[in-house]
Amino acid sequence: MGNYLGSTEQQQQQMLETIGLKNMSELYQDIPKEMLVEKLDIPAGKSEFEVRRILENMGKKNKVFSTIFRGAGAYNHYIPAIVKQISAKEEFMTSYTPYQPEISQGLLQSIFEYQTMICEITGMDATNASVYDGATATAEAINMCLEKKRLKVLISETTNPMTIQTALTYFSSRDIEFVRIPEKNGLTDLSVLREQLDDTSACFIVQQPNYYGGIENVEAMAELVHEAKAKFIMNVNPVASTVLQTAGEVNADIAVGDSQPFGLPLAFGGPYIGFIATKEKMIRKLPGRIAGETVDEAGNRAFVLTLQAREQHIRREKAASNICSNQALCALTNAAYMSTMGARGIQEVAGQCYSKAHYLADQLGLIQGVERTNDSPFFHEFTMTFPVADTVILSKLEEHDILGGYPTDQGLLWCVTEMNTKEQMDEVVSLVKEACNQ
C-alpha cells in the first residue's frame, strides 16, 4: 500500500528533535499508559473479511445501555429521522470548505442558517461557522479577551473539569494567570469573584447551567465583571437557553457551548460541535469562518464567506487563533434539527427535561439517607449522595441495563432528558432502594 506520510523517517526525526522529543511514542506521554494499546491482537495473514469479524467481536465489549441517566457534557436527546436523512445526503456529506461561493451556495446557506439560529438561541449578534467542541470554544473565547495588560483569566470551578483542562492546555505555553473561583452550595461563590476581579482581569467564564446542574446568578456576575471592565463569557447548554435567560439578555460579551444536544448522537464522545457567539463589537475577533448573506449581480439572494481579511489561512503568523476549519456537517445537522423541531418543539424538550429531572430528584429524596448535595435551583442535572457507596448504586442499575449518574466530588451527577419515561425513573428509584437495603 506504500507510505501515506509525505515525510521521510529522517525528516520525521528532525521534527521530533526540534520539539525536544526522541520518538513518536513521546508525543503521547500525557495520555495515561493504561489507555494506550501497543497493537491490536490480530493474528498475521488474515483476510479483510476475517479482520473485520475480529474487530466486530472486539466492538461487542462496548456496553451500550438502553436507559441513560447521565449527562456531564454529552446528552441523550431524541433525534427525528429526517435530521439524519438530510445530513446523510451525499452533496452535504462529501462537501468541503466553500472557498468558491458561486458553486457552494447550498453549503454556505446551511452554515448561514445554522449561525442565524444559534444567534437567536443565545441572544447574540453574530456567531462563527462552528469550532470542534464546547471546550475548544471556551478556550478560543478566552483568547478573544486577552489584552496586553489584561492577562488574568478567572474561571468558575463549577465549570466542567474537562473544559477547564482544555483551557489550561491551550495557554500552557503562555504567561497567562488562571484563577479558579470556588463553588459554594453548588454555585459560584460571588464574594470570591468580587475579590479576585481587578484591572488585570481579562475575562470570567461560568457554565450555565453549571457542571453540577445548578442555575447560576449570571446577571449578578455580569455586573461584577463589567464593573472591572473585563469580559463575561457564558458557556451555555443550548437547550436550557431556550427557557433560561439568554447570554444576550444578561449582557454577556461571548456565549459559547456545545450544540451536540441539537441532533448529534452520543456516539462514544464525538464528533461534536462548538459554537462561539458574540456582540457586534467583538465580531472581528471571532476565530474560524463566518458565512454572510448578500445579493448577486442579478439581485438574487446569495451567500459568501465574509470578513475574509481575518481568516487564519490568510493572516498566518498574525492570526490570534489556529482554528481554520469548521464542523460543517455537524452544523448542518444542528440546523436540520432546529428547523425540524422549531422554537416550540425545543422549548417542549427543555420543559420535559426540567419537569422529569425534578420528579426523579424528588422521588430519590424520599429514600432514607439519600439527599441532594445542595439546594441550588437546577435544570435537568443534579447531584445526590447515598448511604452506600456510589459503585453499589451504579452496579445495581447496570444489572438492569441502566446507566446511572456520573461520579463527581459532589456525589452522583444525574441527568434526565425527554428520552426518560416515568416508568424508567420509577424503576431507578426502586433499584436504588434495594441497593440501600430498604
Side-chain angles (χ1 to χ4, degrees), residues 138-156:
T138 303
E140 288 288 342
I142 293 172
N143 208 29
M144 291 170 60
C145 301
L146 297 175
E147 298 176 8
K148 191 173 183 179
K149 295 183 179 180
R150 288 183 177 268
L151 298 175
K152 180 179 177 181
V153 176
L154 288 73
I155 188 166
S156 173

Side-chain angles (χ1 to χ4, degrees), residues 78 94 116 135 143 160 197 271 301 351 368 386-387 429:
Y78 177 71
T94 60
T116 301
N143 208 29
N160 190 313
L197 283 165
R301 189 187 190 206
Q368 186 176 355
F386 299 83
V429 174

Side-chain angles (χ1 to χ4, degrees), residues 247-283:
E249 288 172 334
V250 301
N251 200 28
D253 297 284
I254 306 175
V256 299
D258 200 311
S259 49
Q260 174 270 327
F262 286 168
L264 296 174
L266 292 173
F268 292 100
Y272 294 161
I273 172 175
F275 61 85
I276 309 177
T278 188
K279 298 293 181 63
E280 185 177 1
K281 61 184 179 181
M282 294 188 72
I283 190 172

Side-chain angles (χ1 to χ4, degrees), residues 117-132:
M117 288 183 274
I118 291 295
C119 285
E120 290 176 348
I121 285 173
T122 59
M124 306 301 272
D125 298 328
T127 185
N128 65 8
S130 75
V131 293
Y132 304 123

Side-chain angles (χ1 to χ4, degrees), residues 71-75 77 114 118 121-122 127-128 130-139 160 162-163 166 206-209 234-241 255-266 269-277 327 330-331 334 337-338 380:
Y75 302 99
H77 289 285
Y114 158 82
I118 291 295
I121 285 173
T122 59
T127 185
N128 65 8
S130 75
V131 293
Y132 304 123
D133 54 33
T136 304
T138 303
N160 190 313
M162 289 185 285
T163 300
T166 299
V206 70
Q207 185 173 317
Q208 176 76 326
M234 278 177 60
N235 184 313
V236 303
N237 179 321
V239 174
S241 290
V256 299
D258 200 311
S259 49
Q260 174 270 327
F262 286 168
L264 296 174
L266 292 173
Y272 294 161
I273 172 175
F275 61 85
I276 309 177
Q327 301 287 78
C330 293
N334 280 175
Y337 175 89
M338 289 185 278
H380 74 337

Side-chain angles (χ1 to χ4, degrees), residues 64-179:
V64 180
F65 293 88
S66 62
T67 303
I68 300 172
F69 284 95
R70 182 175 295 187
Y75 302 99
N76 183 36
H77 289 285
Y78 177 71
I79 303 174
I82 192 174
V83 174
K84 295 182 179 179
Q85 185 72 22
I86 291 173
S87 61
K89 286 181 175 293
E90 62 182 18
E91 56 265 43
F92 293 124
M93 183 74 78
T94 60
S95 58
Y96 186 54
T97 304
Y99 288 118
Q100 296 174 280
E102 54 277 320
I103 60 173
S104 303
Q105 287 299 291
L107 180 60
L108 282 166
Q109 181 175 354
S110 72
I111 293 175
F112 179 82
E113 302 294 356
Y114 158 82
Q115 291 175 176
T116 301
M117 288 183 274
I118 291 295
C119 285
E120 290 176 348
I121 285 173
T122 59
M124 306 301 272
D125 298 328
T127 185
N128 65 8
S130 75
V131 293
Y132 304 123
D133 54 33
T136 304
T138 303
E140 288 288 342
I142 293 172
N143 208 29
M144 291 170 60
C145 301
L146 297 175
E147 298 176 8
K148 191 173 183 179
K149 295 183 179 180
R150 288 183 177 268
L151 298 175
K152 180 179 177 181
V153 176
L154 288 73
I155 188 166
S156 173
E157 285 193 339
T158 64
T159 302
N160 190 313
M162 289 185 285
T163 300
I164 295 176
Q165 190 58 53
T166 299
L168 291 174
T169 301
Y170 241 76
F171 301 101
S172 58
S173 62
R174 295 179 60 181
D175 188 20
I176 306 296
E177 179 186 3
F178 273 86
V179 177

